[in-house]
Amino acid sequence: MRAEMLQEYFSALIQCIAGFGFAGLVLVLSVVFGRRARHRRPAGIPYECGIVPSGDGAPAFFVRFYLVAALFLVFDLEVVFLYPWALTFREVVMNNSEAFIAMALFIALLLVAYVYALAKGALVWHKNPVPPRA
């Protein structure tokens, strides 16, 4: 029994060694046979597909937009976990106090996270509105 278990681990070890060996071989070959990059003359500008960039580029987005989007995804996915619980409330939850306590703790944790996000101002879109130019 022990020999069979060691044989299974041995095959996994061989696969890990082969994977790391291949990755190391590729890195070594890229250093040995790869060309060295020449430095660009205007070194302070980004390189865009071989074309010298002109203009200001894409407009900057506020980080607050991404924060609100991430919070929406998190709370939206949490609602997905509430749906099956609500469907089986009578059959499972009313007969099992552990299921009710677990979901109550889950909802309390969501409430704490929501209050924390509100306290940090993550859901306030304009904290310091910019005055209009005259």
Side-chain angles (χ1 to χ4, degrees), residues 71-87 103 106-107 110:
L71 285 173
F72 170 75
L73 285 176
V74 167
F75 286 109
D76 190 47
L77 287 176
E78 302 308 332
V79 169
V80 170
F81 289 117
L82 288 174
Y83 185 71
W85 180 77
L87 288 179
M103 193 50 72
F106 180 72
I107 293 172
L110 281 179

Side-chain angles (χ1 to χ4, degrees), residues 11-25:
S11 63
L13 177 69
I14 294 296
Q15 287 182 348
C16 288
I17 289 172
F20 285 120
F22 178 73
L25 178 69

